[in-house]
Amino acid sequence: MIIAVTVIAAVLLDYLLGEPKRFHPLVGFGFLVSWIEKRFNQPNKSKQVQFLSGMVGWFIVVSIPVIFFMGLYAIFSLWFDQLFLLDIIILYLAIGYKSLRQHGLAVYECLIDNKIPETREKLAMIVSRNTETLESTAIRQATIESVLENGSDAIFAPIFWYVIAGPYGVIVYRLANTLDAMWGYKNTRFLYFGRFAARIDDVLNYIPSRLVATSYLLLGHCKSGLHCWRQQAQLLDSPNAGPVMAAGAGALKLLLGGDAYYHGQLKKKPTFGCDKLPEDKDIKRSLFLIDKTLCLWCVVILIVFFTLEHIL
């Protein structure tokens, strides 16, 4: 039951406070990642050496925070019998529910005020594609895609790994996800060095992403969500974002995807979902889908652990 209470408390804490304003642990972790990458990444070496360097670098970067938190738990255990308060803080720092809502609503509000240049700037904070020339429809599509995908990565996967493996599970997941975001590029610099980080992130997101996709279609238009998942998920590059975004697009009955520019280069991307192009209000609909999914997960976790406590 403590696990369920911890999850709900962390979600409420995030809803009330959002991300820390001054310092977030992942910022410090980002500096460590950059420092390790500069010393381990050797693009002029063979692809085997680059891959092994990336794997060793991954383990070093992840091990340092894990060891730090092990020491922190050991110190706290000297004074406190119950350490779930520390679990709440760690899970709170790992999820980004309020931040995702704030970024999505910032784009929405600029769109309804017809402030396209400002909207592009807001969108650039949550997507990696070039936004300088995007018009309203493409902005809506990119925003909704980001909401659906980041809902899985930044909210539900951390909760899943906390439930499955406790605080160390959520710590390793969040660090692995950050490493994928920093090293998982398919360019000359990271193609082989970042491959291990990308594969680990794929493995850790495999089950959570499919649970999220299932949640999206159950809480939206189930039939179209399931159809899009089955028929379109494999068309997308990511083995995990594919089911999430295809099911989400179908659940919302919207047409998403399409070609986009990344770092000045046009990338051919398939469209997916249904036939309806998104309107401004559909950004809020996608955020509401995240809200409903989060409520569903909290209720299910509460019921499961309440039942287990009374059975055992």
Side-chain angles (χ1 to χ4, degrees):
M1 194 64 179
I2 290 178
I3 292 176
V5 172
T6 299
V7 169
I8 294 171
V11 169
L12 289 174
L13 199 61
D14 178 77
Y15 179 78
L16 293 172
L17 302 180
E19 292 184 346
K21 296 291 188 293
R22 292 183 177 275
F23 176 76
H24 195 291
L26 287 178
V27 175
F29 180 70
F31 289 125
L32 174 62
V33 172
S34 298
W35 187 83
I36 292 290
E37 189 262 329
K38 288 177 182 177
R39 283 152 181 78
F40 278 74
N41 191 3
Q42 304 174 71
N44 59 321
K45 299 291 185 179
S46 69
K47 60 184 181 182
Q48 291 86 0
V49 170
Q50 291 181 61
F51 178 82
L52 288 173
S53 297
M55 182 171 64
V56 172
W58 188 95
F59 279 105
I60 292 174
V61 169
V62 171
S63 296
I64 292 173
V66 168
I67 292 170
F68 169 79
F69 278 104
M70 288 176 68
L72 194 62
Y73 269 90
I75 292 170
F76 268 65
S77 67
L78 297 175
W79 288 282
F80 304 101
D81 293 329
Q82 299 293 335
L83 296 178
F84 72 94
L85 291 177
L86 192 54
D87 286 11
I88 292 172
I89 293 172
I90 288 172
L91 184 55
Y92 152 65
L93 292 172
I95 61 178
Y97 170 57
K98 187 169 185 177
S99 176
L100 181 61
R101 283 192 57 81
Q102 288 174 331
H103 284 298
L105 288 173
V107 174
Y108 167 78
E109 289 165 1
C110 288
L111 272 175
I112 61 176
D113 290 338
N114 201 31
K115 299 176 180 178
I116 300 300
E118 187 175 344
T119 305
R120 292 167 179 156
E121 294 176 5
K122 299 292 185 184
L123 177 61
M125 299 176 69
I126 56 173
V127 299
S128 56
R129 71 188 68 185
N130 298 131
T131 63
E132 296 85 355
T133 60
L134 295 183
E135 297 302 330
S136 297
T137 298
I139 290 172
R140 297 183 196 110
Q141 290 176 314
T143 303
I144 295 169
E145 288 174 41
S146 181
V147 167
L148 294 173
E149 182 178 6
N150 284 309
S152 180
D153 292 350
I155 303 172
F156 303 112
I159 292 174
F160 172 85
W161 281 110
Y162 175 75
V163 171
I164 295 298
Y168 295 113
V170 73
I171 290 168
V172 170
Y173 170 76
R174 177 46 68 206
L175 299 181
N177 189 246
T178 303
L179 277 167
D180 176 58
M182 298 183 72
W183 291 357
Y185 294 102
K186 293 181 179 179
N187 55 25
T188 303
R189 180 177 174 183
F190 291 109
L191 181 59
Y192 299 108
F193 179 80
R195 183 165 293 182
F196 183 80
R199 293 294 178 267
I200 288 292
D201 185 69
D202 287 344
V203 171
L204 293 177
N205 273 299
Y206 186 85
I207 295 176
S209 65
R210 281 147 183 84
L211 291 175
V212 172
T214 302
S215 302
Y216 285 170
L217 64 90
L218 289 175
L219 296 169
H221 294 272
C222 186
K223 185 177 180 180
S224 59
L226 183 59
H227 172 79
C228 293
W229 181 357
R230 286 176 171 174
Q231 301 298 321
Q232 300 169 353
Q234 68 273 15
L235 302 177
L236 304 180
D237 288 341
S238 172
N240 297 318
V244 168
M245 292 198 292
L252 295 169
K253 302 199 79 170
L254 297 175
L255 179 65
L256 303 178
D259 299 345
Y261 280 91
Y262 293 84
H263 310 292
Q265 301 293 319
L266 178 64
K267 182 177 181 179
K268 294 289 185 178
K269 299 176 64 179
T271 57
F272 56 92
C274 301
D275 297 328
K276 181 179 177 293
L277 289 171
E279 302 174 9
D280 292 346
K281 64 181 181 181
D282 291 315
I283 294 176
K284 296 191 79 172
R285 287 181 62 227
S286 69
L287 290 168
F288 186 49
L289 181 60
I290 298 295
D291 296 342
K292 291 189 293 183
T293 302
L294 185 56
C295 288
L296 174 64
W297 278 47
C298 287
V299 169
V300 169
I301 290 169
L302 186 61
I303 291 172
V304 168
F305 282 96
F306 179 82
T307 303
L308 288 175
E309 184 175 272
H310 283 74
I311 291 175
L312 302 176

